Amino acid sequence: MGGTEAFPDLGKHCHLADCRLLDFLPFTCDSCRQVFCLEHKNYKSHDCPIGINNKNRRVTICETCGISIEVTGCDGEAEKLILEKHQKSGTCDPKKKKKKPTCPVKRCRETLSFSNSNICKNCEITFCLRHRFPADHTCMHLIKVPQPRVNNKFLLALTSRSSKDCAKDVVSRSISSPGTPSVKAN
């Protein structure tokens, strides 16, 4: 039983006989299922008989199908025998081996991973960082941004006149039409 008088269910005592510390955030060993304090949470610190033996688990990967096979406590030759037994069994299938994804751009052999891949917002295909922009991977689904509408008459007039002609035309209009009122600055 742990806790305090006000909260009797709060916290637990360390299972180690020499310690028995009341810990409000105790650790439960995943091997022996006993409760320990921060200082004795490791297998080695509380001499866990189950955890120390499980700590040396080893796994080898079949090169044919890519499945991991446990080889705990086996030496080199025993590992080879386990792999041969696996390959002769019906579970070893080379078609199950997953190939790592690569960039779909022609002649790009970059392997895609979490850190060097990007999904195009237009076509939603994953590319390497070198080809992440739509122009770099010839994206077929480019979103055409609508151009703002401009007064066509204005553009026609602007292109038909040169800058010198416009200046002469303004001067000639002001001289030729004396009847139009003008405002003078005082």
Side-chain angles (χ1 to χ4, degrees):
M1 179 147 179
T4 60
E5 291 178 12
F7 301 101
D9 296 332
L10 185 65
K12 294 187 179 180
H13 289 280
C14 180
H15 191 270
L16 201 64
D18 295 340
C19 182
R20 302 295 298 161
L21 177 74
L22 176 62
D23 197 346
F24 295 106
L25 293 171
F27 295 91
T28 304
C29 178
D30 58 351
S31 295
C32 65
R33 305 283 183 224
Q34 300 296 326
V35 177
F36 296 98
C37 64
L38 177 65
E39 187 178 343
H40 301 111
K41 71 175 185 171
N42 297 332
Y43 298 137
K44 200 172 193 178
S45 61
H46 69 266
D47 294 325
C48 183
I50 303 168
I52 291 174
N53 293 335
N54 286 343
K55 190 175 179 181
N56 296 328
R57 292 182 77 184
R58 290 189 23 218
V59 174
T60 187
I61 296 173
C62 176
E63 293 179 11
T64 309
C65 65
I67 294 177
S68 57
I69 303 165
E70 185 176 355
V71 290
T72 304
C74 300
D75 59 350
E77 291 189 27
E79 279 184 37
K80 290 178 185 177
L81 290 173
I82 291 172
L83 278 172
E84 286 176 14
K85 182 179 177 183
H86 164 73
Q87 289 173 351
K88 290 177 182 176
S89 70
T91 60
C92 187
D93 187 12
K95 293 177 185 175
K96 289 182 181 179
K97 188 172 184 178
K98 295 179 183 177
K99 290 187 177 180
K100 294 181 182 177
T102 58
C103 182
V105 175
K106 280 187 177 180
R107 297 187 185 122
C108 183
R109 301 281 185 240
E110 187 72 29
T111 303
L112 299 177
S113 66
F114 174 76
S115 62
N116 76 336
S117 62
N118 188 39
I119 299 173
C120 178
K121 292 179 182 177
N122 297 332
C123 60
E124 297 180 359
I125 298 174
T126 306
F127 296 96
C128 69
L129 293 179
R130 184 178 294 150
H131 300 109
R132 68 184 177 264
F133 298 114
D136 294 335
H137 64 261
T138 59
C139 187
M140 297 299 171
H141 297 85
L142 288 174
I143 298 173
K144 294 184 180 179
V145 178
Q147 296 294 329
R149 293 188 180 209
V150 181
N151 188 355
N152 289 336
K153 291 179 184 177
F154 173 74
L155 287 175
L156 289 172
L158 185 64
T159 55
S160 67
R161 298 181 184 170
S162 65
S163 61
K164 293 178 184 177
D165 293 340
C166 288
K168 289 179 185 176
D169 192 34
V170 171
V171 172
S172 64
R173 281 186 194 167
S174 63
I175 296 171
S176 65
S177 58
T180 57
S182 62
V183 179
K184 290 185 179 180
N186 290 332

